[in-house]
Amino acid sequence: MPTDRFTENIDKQIGFNQGKNIFLDNLEIFQFANETVKAISNIDKLTPHSKEYLIDYAKDKAIEEFCRVNQYYSFDLKAINNLRQIYSNLFEALQTRAYSIDNISKEHYEKLKFWLKENNPFAEKLYKDDNEKISPVVCSEYTPKLQLKILQVDIKHLLQPVLDIGCGINGYLVDYFRNQKIEAYGIDRFKFSTSNLITSDWLEYDYGTDKWGTVVSNLGFSNHFNHHNLREDGNYIEYAKTYMNILNSLKIGGSFHYAPDLPFIEKYLDNKQYDLKKYEIEGYDFKTTIIKKSNL
């Protein structure tokens, strides 16, 4: 049976509950839409392959929605696998009709709530006493021109290859570089269909050694590093390790351009190995940092 109708239904189901606060005590606000209930009657017609595809599709779309609500949510590989299992269990319950649709729905959203709280403990504190509908934490994809300005990137003197950490779902800056015949790649947690955009958590990505000529991240990696450094439950140690992995991945003469700056860790860098410069950005209350790997 074609999966297009089911993927369309998954999109509509996520849209049906979009923006609802999962941390409220009353989870009855989370329900299956009427279209979802109708689609369930055909779920037995799915092949095993189609079922696995749809489980992955639902998992990926759920992560996109959680990240839309709060860009500071983080999900490692274990969390993603656990989320996939939640959706696998949901499909199994729908196929076996073990209990009523209302009870399946309630159990599913209870599992999602526990999963989100387990992986992002700060979220419950943030939203437990909030409204039924919550406003997303602003996260935008900026134009290549604006990003180049903020990051102080001169493409005429750019050392290749280039890596954009937190490239965004559209990878605008990566596409711009490649249109300029610059070898460029991007990483982010979204699902991509092109080889130059890589699906990966930036804390788990293998940056390599002496590999990149230029690494850029506009309001991405360093923004989240700052966030975790200020949180009581923040994962600042892993961010610090990844920060050094990024610097080690630079070629001699390569540079890491990022904003906002990270003064709490930058002050510990070896100035014999790294040349650090900062720039004020007109109209913004943060600075841009460029770290160049020296030829020792």
Side-chain angles (χ1 to χ4, degrees):
M1 183 176 183
T3 58
D4 291 352
R5 287 170 54 195
F6 284 96
T7 56
E8 182 180 342
N9 183 259
I10 289 170
D11 292 341
K12 289 181 178 179
Q13 177 60 47
I14 289 178
F16 181 75
N17 286 321
Q18 191 173 70
K20 293 179 182 178
N21 187 354
I22 201 168
F23 287 103
L24 294 181
D25 290 334
N26 179 19
L27 277 180
E28 291 181 1
I29 61 173
F30 284 87
Q31 298 175 348
F32 290 151
N34 290 333
E35 290 178 329
T36 302
V37 175
K38 292 178 182 177
I40 289 169
S41 63
N42 292 314
I43 202 168
D44 288 334
K45 299 177 183 178
L46 289 172
T47 66
H49 176 76
S50 295
K51 178 182 174 182
E52 294 302 309
Y53 170 80
L54 290 171
I55 289 170
D56 280 325
Y57 186 85
K59 175 257 297 179
D60 293 338
K61 287 297 179 178
I63 288 176
E64 281 187 22
E65 172 59 16
F66 283 127
C67 293
R68 186 196 68 83
V69 170
N70 193 319
Q71 63 165 309
Y72 296 110
Y73 284 156
S74 58
F75 308 110
D76 58 19
L77 184 58
K78 179 181 178 182
I80 292 172
N81 288 337
N82 287 342
L83 180 61
R84 190 187 191 283
Q85 186 60 51
I86 288 174
Y87 278 99
S88 179
N89 292 341
L90 173 62
F91 273 68
E92 186 67 24
L94 292 173
Q95 281 192 309
T96 60
R97 313 291 205 281
Y99 35 98
S100 71
I101 294 298
D102 286 343
N103 285 336
I104 290 174
S105 172
K106 181 179 179 181
E107 181 180 271
H108 175 64
Y109 289 109
E110 286 285 0
K111 288 179 179 178
L112 283 182
K113 177 180 179 179
F114 179 80
W115 172 83
L116 186 57
K117 179 170 65 174
E118 183 179 44
N119 290 285
N120 293 272
F122 76 96
E124 184 178 32
K125 297 177 183 178
L126 186 64
Y127 296 122
K128 185 172 177 57
D129 298 317
D130 207 338
N131 299 321
E132 184 174 304
K133 278 274 193 177
I134 54 181
S135 300
V137 176
V138 177
C139 181
S140 301
E141 284 196 64
Y142 300 93
T143 64
K145 182 178 179 180
L146 180 58
Q147 293 189 65
L148 294 174
K149 178 182 177 181
I150 291 174
L151 296 172
Q152 299 286 303
V153 173
D154 181 0
I155 64 171
K156 294 179 181 178
H157 300 95
L158 200 62
L159 189 61
Q160 303 181 46
V162 178
L163 177 67
D164 184 359
I165 302 175
C167 61
I169 195 168
N170 295 299
Y172 291 136
L173 186 57
V174 175
D175 284 348
Y176 175 84
F177 284 138
R178 294 180 76 87
N179 287 335
Q180 300 297 316
K181 308 303 180 184
I182 294 170
E183 184 184 0
Y185 304 87
I187 61 171
D188 215 320
R189 51 193 169 188
F190 306 109
K191 277 289 183 182
F192 299 112
S193 57
T194 58
S195 59
N196 59 299
L197 298 178
I198 303 162
T199 303
S200 179
D201 186 297
W202 52 39
L203 295 181
E204 298 175 340
Y205 181 70
D206 182 5
Y207 294 92
T209 304
D210 301 323
K211 179 177 180 179
W212 302 104
T214 308
V215 178
V216 298
S217 188
N218 178 48
L219 300 180
F221 177 81
S222 62
N223 197 27
H224 286 247
F225 193 174
N226 267 320
H227 174 78
H228 279 266
N229 189 55
L230 294 171
R231 266 171 45 192
E232 290 182 6
D233 65 337
N235 195 13
Y236 51 86
I237 292 177
E238 289 304 314
Y239 267 86
K241 290 178 180 178
T242 300
Y243 179 79
M244 294 310 301
N245 287 339
I246 294 169
L247 294 182
N248 289 332
S249 76
L250 295 173
K251 295 179 178 180
I252 297 299
S255 56
F256 182 21
H257 299 238
Y258 59 86
D261 57 335
L262 298 168
F264 60 88
I265 193 169
E266 292 166 352
K267 63 183 178 180
Y268 295 111
L269 293 178
D270 182 355
N271 58 17
K272 293 181 180 179
Q273 187 175 5
Y274 299 107
D275 178 31
L276 185 151
K277 293 182 180 179
K278 294 197 180 192
Y279 298 87
E280 300 278 353
I281 304 298
E282 183 179 355
Y284 296 91
D285 59 358
F286 58 81
K287 296 178 181 179
T288 293
T289 292
I290 300 177
I291 299 177
K292 186 174 181 180
K293 192 172 185 179
S294 303
N295 187 4
L296 295 178

